Amino acid sequence: MVQFVAYYRFLNRGIVKRIRVMNKKKDAIIIILICNAILISLLELIIPVPIPVPGVKLGLASIITIIAIAFLDFKDVMTIVILRCLVVAILSKGITVLPFSLTGGVLSATAMWLLYRKLARWFSIKGISVVGAIVHNTAQLGVASLILGESVIFYYIPILLISAVVTGLITGTIGELTIGEIQKRGIFKEII
Amino acid sequence: MYEKPAVSENRYVKLDAGIKTVLTILLAVAVGFCDNRLELVYFSIYLAVITVLLGSDLRFILKNLTAYGIFILFPYLCGLLLSMLLQQFLPGPTYAYHFAATIIRLIKIFFIWYICSLYFFTTPLQVIMEIFYIILFPLSYLGLPTAKYLSMVMLVMNQLTSSAGQFKQDIMEQVRIIIKNDSLGFTEKLKALSNILAVFIANSLQHSDEIQEQVDLTRASDYHYKLRISPNEILAVLSFVILSIFIA
């Protein structure tokens, strides 16, 4: 019994130590992932968008959100999304875009997190990404409609939904493959 | 875009950031009280004058117009067009359009959009962070470490400044080669892209220790704001009072 208690304490100490190491580096990991999301979105300058509609982007930054959902907890995912939106708004001096990007980002990340954690049996990462893109675009349109006080804006939704399915499939495929590569290389295992 | 953020040096008028923040909020609220064309004309003249005085430029105005067009104007016009088309071809209840009211609202939203962007364009980043710290300070009573999060934002900016050049040189070039490679199929291109991203993420995480050290050095005292009142601030407040009288 004494031996068991000692072993249990040893194990427990290991877990506590691991959590401490993880927490100690968590802020740094969040900062790096935000930087990566912003830098990866620069790739949109050279990757052609399949649907040339003004305002429609590939949304490559969501690859990092998908990776964060796969490896980090909900609070960290939200921190990454919120701080990324804030940094992009400050850098581009377009702070008025913040309500749009924040609402879209937070709601799509929440939807993707719920699907990944609770309904992963029915949804692949590609499917989760498509849902995320749909929620993102719908939320942004909802904010525009709320600000303008006009529901006529929702007639634009079919175009945005079609583009969301296409862009969500592309980012989801890249995200799925990247998560596979990360797991294969044990990248987060080494750090966390 | 993600190189060192260029902040206007306030070529003609330097204003205290706190007073500028309060005036920005008051101006944004005042836009809501403009109900006729004349008041909107007064407001636009006022905005044109402060744009010149605060040292903003044409590029900034165009950038603002683009963002406004993408987020508000284009979806509205598309929605309008589609709804009209649908009403033409499908029978059903007609949608009531309020064009005059909507145009006034569109102008008001643009003014608010413009005022906020002008504030951020003419205020240095560190000062914006100090103001953010004051605004978000009540959240620290709820246990939210606002100073730490603001430091994280600053660190992200610094990291971006230092790594954007390298990213453009290495990763963007590799991706460009893959995209232009016609011998690769769509799936192969995506696979190659994900390999590059995985290596990029792995390499970037190697700096986690030094970044964490910088986060740990953060203190709330890094964000301290002191109110300064000079003739410029008094004139700015007075100009706002005069505008308010005009639109009241």
Side-chain angles (χ1 to χ4, degrees), chain B residues 81-98:
Chain B
L81 197 72
L82 287 168
S83 73
M84 283 174 166
L85 277 173
L86 279 174
Q87 281 188 12
Q88 201 74 28
F89 296 111
L90 296 172
T94 50
Y95 186 85
Y97 300 105
H98 315 282

Side-chain angles (χ1 to χ4, degrees), chain A residues 24-25 27-28 32 35-36 39 46 55 90-93 95 148 150-152 155-156 177-178 181, chain B residues 2 63 70 74 78-79 82 95 102 105 113 120 125 148 159 167 172 176 194-195 200 204 208-209 212:
Chain A
K24 245 185 158 182
K25 278 190 175 180
D27 298 333
I32 291 166
C35 284
N36 290 351
L39 289 174
I46 52 171
I90 293 172
L91 275 177
S92 60
K93 307 280 167 208
I95 205 75
L148 200 58
E150 277 279 355
S151 56
V152 75
Y155 280 92
Y156 185 52
L177 291 166
T178 313
E181 279 297 318
Chain B
Y2 298 114
K63 213 172 147 186
I70 288 172
F74 186 76
C78 273
L82 287 168
Y95 186 85
T102 309
R105 205 174 297 137
W113 197 285
F120 277 89
L125 185 63
K148 192 184 88 175
Q159 278 292 112
F167 181 83
M172 278 181 97
R176 192 173 278 132
S194 57
N195 267 325
F200 167 65
S204 63
S208 56
D209 285 324
Q212 190 60 50

Side-chain angles (χ1 to χ4, degrees), chain B residues 127-139:
Chain B
V127 181
I128 291 173
M129 289 299 152
E130 286 167 11
I131 298 296
F132 265 142
Y133 181 68
I134 294 167
I135 293 169
L136 300 174
F137 186 71
L139 292 175

